[in-house]
Amino acid sequence: MDSETDMVRQIRALDSDMQTLVYENYNKFISATDTIRKMKNDFRKMEDEMDRLATNMAVITDFSARISATLQDHHERITKLAGVHALLRKLQFLFELPSRLTKCVELGAYGQAVRYQGRARAVLQQYQHLPSFRAIQDDCQVITARLAQQLRQRFREGGSGAPEQAECVELLLALGEPAEELCEEFLVHARGRLEEELSALEKELGPSPPAPDVLEFTDRGGSGFVGGLCQVAAAYQELFEAQGPRGGEKLAAFAQELGGCYFELVERRLAQEQGGGDNSLLVRALDRFHRRLRAPGPLLAAAGLTESATEIVERVARERLGYHLQGLQTAFLGCLTDVRQALAAPRLAGKEGPSLAELLASVASSIQSHIKASLAAVHLFTAKEVSFSNKPYFRGEFCSQGVREGLIVGFIRSMCQTAQSFCDSAGEKGGATPPALLLLLSRLCLDYETATISYILTLTDEQFLVQDQSPVTPVSTLCAEARETARRLLTHYVKVQGLVISQMLRKSVETRDWLSTLEPRNVRAVMKRVVEDTTAIDVQVGLLYEEGVRKAQSSDSSKRTFSVYSSSRQQGRYAPSYTPSAPMDTNLLSNIQKLFSERIDVFSPVEFNKVSVLTGIIKISLKTLLECVRLRTFGRFGLQQVQVDCHFLQLYLWRFVADEELVHLLLDEVVASAALRCPDPVPMEPSVVEVICERG
């Protein structure tokens, strides 16, 4: 029953939809029937109108045929009369031509006169055998000769501009004047005008009036000389195109000669900018100069003006790179001068100045800022908006060989060479160079080797996208050069500081009478000074370099005394058994002992850490002390004084070196050498030595 009810409902819905469709279609059928009825009425009216139109057209055709037949004879007569009228007008023009030409010449309408002459020339030439036409032709030739003379006079005066002179030449050519002669005269007059422009530019370069800035100078040259040259070239090619290749060669030679004079003036003005620091104005001036000379390129391709302008721009770019390289070198030397003054100022004023670490950071920051400023300045030459930036030189060689190799790599190598110059002549530069400056420069070069060189070259390569395949200096090569420079500077620092301490020790040994000295009661002041200076050097080096690696220290390093020195103990044991008659045996024992002792390399390579630096300085100092002791003769108390001094040095110096045995061996050898040169080698008791050193 539910299904039946649902089906009934659906049937009713379908019946309703069908009724709706029927009603809608019924209305459409009624509307379509009305439309068709209206169309039948309209077409019936249109058929009646078309019938009337066809009748009217037939009547019109009949009337037209009758009129044409009636007027046929009159039409032929009218055509003949029109031809006679045109011929009479031409004859009238010919008979009036002399008077018209005379009037045009008097009024200065030279162009109109030439056009009149051109219209009548062929006819007069054709009918010159007739007397009447012959007379007209003679009169016209006289007037034309006078016209040509006036045009030449106007052209030679040269008071008008290039367009007016070109018009004169064009009219003369139309009058049949020789083109070769007019070509020469045209170039002569154009040369005069362009040389006036060059003279005006040259006056601006004189010393008396203030010279305009380079941008204004190039603007004047571009609008005056280059603009005039373009007008001359365009007019020449338009007027003398029939001259062929020979005429083009004349124009090219003309433009090349005057262009060379203009380029010379531009280069003189650009040379005045080489000392200036503003690259933006110079690059804008070069851009306008180059852009302006690209305009006559198609007209004067044979003259090579665009190529010459590009060469000038490239030459100026190279000179600017040299200028910025010199600026970087000057800035580096200025930084070194500031460091010297900062190192000397505290000593003069008696107060503490900036630390070496602060000075190093200041120098590194200053150099990097100057390098970045130079890169930004020369980067203007490769900006996209600059007309010459797409040239092969600025897309390749300028970036790779100019900026990267010439400027950046050149400066880094120059900096390393300047730093190494402090090591080359120890007597001149090296002697006057503060040791702290050597230490600072060595650390600066080492920092360049570890990070700065890679950073600067990466920055350069990012700013200047190199499209040149020419070889460049690898980063590793520059880093190796910087590391070698740092090593040489640090080695020279060790030698200089070792020399300072060695001088004190040498004078203390050479100026004392060791045979008649008194029994030692204290440590000599020079030994205390040696320890103080070594401690100061240790602090100074520690500001810039890491500690380094030491061998394991023994527990009694600070308590060893002279009594345990092997050399002195053996010498004290064997010396009484030897008499003065056997000196060779004593030396033999000493030499045999040296064969079994470890060899000490005084000038061994210095590593980049504090321990290695102090070890080198102490080795040089103690080796000097040893050599000075070997040249003296000691009494008993002199030997004991050496024993006390060496024990004092051993108490304090062992902590500065990588291997404490090094200090022990050298001091052993010093005391042993003193004992060998002592007629009465009686050492002091170890306890007494310790008391004296502790009191000192």
Side-chain angles (χ1 to χ4, degrees):
M1 291 176 68
D2 291 340
S3 299
E4 184 182 3
T5 303
D6 185 45
M7 187 179 295
V8 169
R9 186 169 58 253
Q10 290 179 3
I11 291 170
R12 289 176 181 173
L14 288 172
D15 290 341
S16 176
D17 291 341
M18 289 178 65
Q19 268 186 340
T20 303
L21 288 172
V22 169
Y23 289 142
E24 288 179 355
N25 290 332
Y26 181 76
N27 290 333
K28 290 179 181 178
F29 284 137
I30 296 298
S31 176
T33 304
D34 293 341
T35 303
I36 292 171
R37 187 180 299 114
K38 288 181 181 179
M39 289 175 66
K40 285 183 178 181
N41 294 331
D42 293 340
F43 276 114
R44 190 176 295 114
K45 293 179 181 179
M46 188 178 297
E47 287 177 356
D48 296 339
E49 291 177 356
M50 290 297 292
D51 291 339
R52 286 198 299 273
L53 179 61
T55 304
N56 292 335
M57 288 298 296
V59 173
I60 290 171
T61 302
D62 182 47
F63 275 118
S64 176
R66 289 161 59 189
I67 290 171
S68 296
T70 304
L71 297 178
Q72 181 67 31
D73 297 336
H74 297 287
H75 177 70
E76 293 177 357
R77 291 177 61 194
I78 289 171
T79 302
K80 291 179 181 180
L81 289 174
V84 172
H85 180 262
L87 181 60
L88 290 174
R89 288 186 62 186
K90 292 180 180 179
L91 290 174
Q92 183 182 5
F93 173 78
L94 288 175
F95 286 113
E96 292 178 355
L97 181 59
S99 60
R100 289 191 179 193
L101 290 177
T102 303
K103 189 175 181 181
C104 288
V105 171
E106 291 174 354
L107 295 176
Y110 303 123
Q112 186 68 34
V114 171
R115 283 193 291 274
Y116 287 158
Q117 172 67 15
R119 286 173 56 186
R121 180 182 301 165
V123 177
L124 293 176
Q125 190 73 24
Q126 184 178 357
Y127 297 102
Q128 63 180 344
H129 59 280
L130 299 176
S132 56
F133 286 94
R134 182 67 181 177
I136 295 173
Q137 186 180 25
D138 293 341
D139 294 341
C140 290
Q141 286 179 351
V142 172
I143 299 171
T144 303
R146 189 167 69 251
L147 173 61
Q149 185 178 0
Q150 292 186 12
L151 286 174
R152 280 186 176 275
Q153 183 66 27
R154 183 182 176 189
F155 175 65
R156 287 168 181 167
E157 287 175 356
S160 55
E164 290 79 3
Q165 289 201 337
E167 182 183 1
C168 291
V169 174
E170 184 178 5
L171 295 176
L172 288 170
L173 288 172
L175 291 175
E177 295 293 318
E180 185 75 19
E181 183 180 346
L182 290 175
C183 173
E184 295 292 341
E185 291 188 14
F186 179 80
L187 291 180
V188 168
H189 286 84
R191 179 188 296 274
R193 292 196 308 274
L194 294 176
E195 285 179 349
E196 289 177 3
E197 296 287 347
L198 293 177
S199 299
L201 290 176
E202 190 171 11
K203 288 180 181 178
E204 294 181 359
L205 296 176
S208 50
D213 62 53
V214 65
L215 184 61
E216 184 179 353
F217 182 86
T218 53
D219 280 343
R220 290 181 184 176
S223 60
F225 174 80
V226 180
L229 186 61
C230 290
Q231 290 181 354
V232 169
Y236 184 92
Q237 291 198 351
E238 182 179 352
L239 294 172
F240 305 105
E241 188 174 1
Q243 292 288 310
R246 186 177 177 185
E249 291 175 2
K250 286 184 179 179
L251 179 62
F254 170 82
Q256 195 168 9
E257 181 182 354
L258 291 178
C261 298
Y262 173 64
F263 291 151
E264 182 181 353
L265 294 177
V266 171
E267 288 192 274
R268 283 172 55 188
R269 182 62 186 87
L270 292 174
Q272 298 176 5
E273 294 294 315
Q274 291 306 313
D278 186 12
N279 258 21
S280 59
L281 189 66
L282 178 62
V283 172
R284 287 173 57 198
L286 290 173
D287 177 43
R288 294 192 185 179
F289 166 72
H290 185 268
R291 195 183 298 272
R292 187 70 182 177
L293 278 166
R294 285 195 309 177
L299 300 174
L300 300 171
L305 296 184
T306 305
E307 293 77 5
S308 300
T310 304
E311 290 176 2
I312 290 177
V313 173
E314 293 175 0
R315 190 155 53 245
V316 171
R318 293 189 189 96
E319 291 174 354
R320 292 306 290 178
L321 288 174
Y323 168 78
H324 284 288
L325 175 59
Q326 186 178 2
L328 289 176
Q329 294 169 345
T330 304
F332 178 62
L333 294 177
C335 290
L336 297 186
T337 303
D338 294 341
V339 170
R340 283 175 177 267
Q341 293 176 351
L343 293 174
R347 292 194 304 239
L348 299 175
K351 58 184 178 181
E352 186 176 355
S355 66
L356 281 181
E358 293 172 349
L359 290 175
L360 175 64
S362 174
V363 171
S365 173
S366 177
I367 293 175
Q368 279 200 24
S369 63
H370 279 92
I371 290 175
K372 290 180 179 179
S374 297
L375 287 176
V378 298
H379 189 263
L380 296 173
F381 284 95
T382 61
K384 292 183 179 178
E385 62 272 12
V386 178
S387 62
F388 51 78
S389 62
N390 59 350
K391 295 294 180 182
Y393 171 74
F394 288 98
R395 297 173 69 87
E397 184 182 348
F398 176 79
C399 297
S400 63
Q401 301 302 315
V403 178
R404 190 187 190 278
E405 293 297 305
L407 182 61
I408 302 303
V409 175
F411 168 68
I412 293 174
R413 283 180 167 163
S414 170
M415 187 181 71
C416 292
Q417 290 173 1
T418 302
Q420 287 187 19
S421 66
F422 294 109
C423 308
D424 294 337
S425 54
E428 299 175 5
K429 290 186 179 179
T433 304
L437 178 61
L438 297 172
L439 188 66
L440 184 144
L441 287 175
S442 70
R443 184 68 214 191
L444 178 67
C445 292
L446 187 63
D447 289 343
Y448 265 68
E449 184 263 338
T450 54
T452 309
I453 289 177
S454 177
Y455 167 73
I456 292 174
L457 290 181
T458 302
L459 180 67
T460 304
D461 294 338
E462 289 175 353
Q463 290 188 11
F464 299 87
L465 300 176
V466 179
Q467 299 182 3
D468 188 19
Q469 301 300 323
S470 57
V472 294
T473 305
V475 177
S476 57
T477 302
L478 273 185
C479 291
E481 293 178 9
R483 187 176 185 85
E484 176 62 19
T485 302
R487 185 194 63 76
R488 290 191 59 185
L489 285 166
L490 196 59
T491 302
H492 191 61
Y493 172 80
V494 169
K495 291 180 180 179
V496 170
Q497 293 288 47
L499 180 62
V500 172
I501 298 177
S502 297
Q503 290 290 345
M504 290 192 298
L505 292 172
R506 184 175 66 83
K507 290 180 180 178
S508 70
V509 174
E510 292 177 351
T511 57
R512 191 178 183 92
D513 185 4
W514 294 98
L515 289 173
S516 58
T517 185
L518 300 176
E519 185 177 358
R521 290 289 180 264
N522 51 33
V523 180
R524 288 190 301 149
V526 67
M527 298 303 167
K528 299 177 182 179
R529 177 68 184 277
V530 167
V531 173
E532 291 173 358
D533 287 358
T534 306
T535 305
I537 293 172
D538 179 75
V539 173
Q540 187 181 67
V541 177
L543 293 173
L544 299 181
Y545 283 98
E546 293 75 16
E547 181 71 22
V549 180
R550 286 190 173 90
K551 289 186 178 180
Q553 311 292 345
S554 63
S555 59
D556 63 342
S557 296
S558 61
K559 297 181 180 179
R560 291 186 54 176
T561 63
F562 173 76
S563 60
V564 298
Y565 290 177
S566 60
S567 302
S568 62
R569 193 166 62 239
Q570 292 172 0
Q571 178 65 22
R573 180 183 307 152
Y574 295 114
S577 64
Y578 292 98
T579 61
S581 62
M584 293 301 294
D585 296 335
T586 307
N587 293 333
L588 182 61
L589 287 174
S590 176
N591 292 330
I592 291 174
Q593 179 206 353
K594 289 180 183 178
L595 290 175
F596 294 98
S597 64
E598 183 180 354
R599 182 180 180 274
I600 298 174
D601 187 3
V602 178
F603 297 102
S604 58
V606 182
E607 298 177 2
F608 296 105
N609 57 68
K610 185 176 73 172
V611 171
S612 178
V613 172
L614 268 295
T615 301
I617 294 172
I618 290 174
K619 284 194 297 184
I620 293 174
S621 304
L622 296 184
K623 184 65 174 177
T624 302
L625 177 62
L626 173 61
E627 297 301 325
C628 292
V629 166
R630 285 176 174 171
L631 298 176
R632 309 294 293 179
T633 303
F634 296 85
R636 176 190 299 178
F637 295 142
L639 172 62
Q640 293 177 0
Q641 183 66 62
V642 171
Q643 183 183 358
V644 170
D645 292 343
C646 289
H647 181 65
F648 180 79
L649 292 177
Q650 177 264 322
L651 284 176
Y652 293 98
L653 295 185
W654 66 270
R655 66 192 58 153
F656 297 120
V657 297
D659 185 5
E660 65 182 63
E661 287 299 322
L662 178 70
V663 176
H664 300 157
L665 288 173
L666 285 171
L667 292 176
D668 276 351
E669 198 166 349
V670 170
V671 178
S673 296
L676 285 174
R677 286 154 183 79
C678 178
D680 185 16
V682 179
M684 183 177 284
E685 289 296 326
S687 58
V688 179
V689 172
E690 291 180 1
V691 170
I692 293 175
C693 290
E694 289 174 1
R695 189 174 59 197

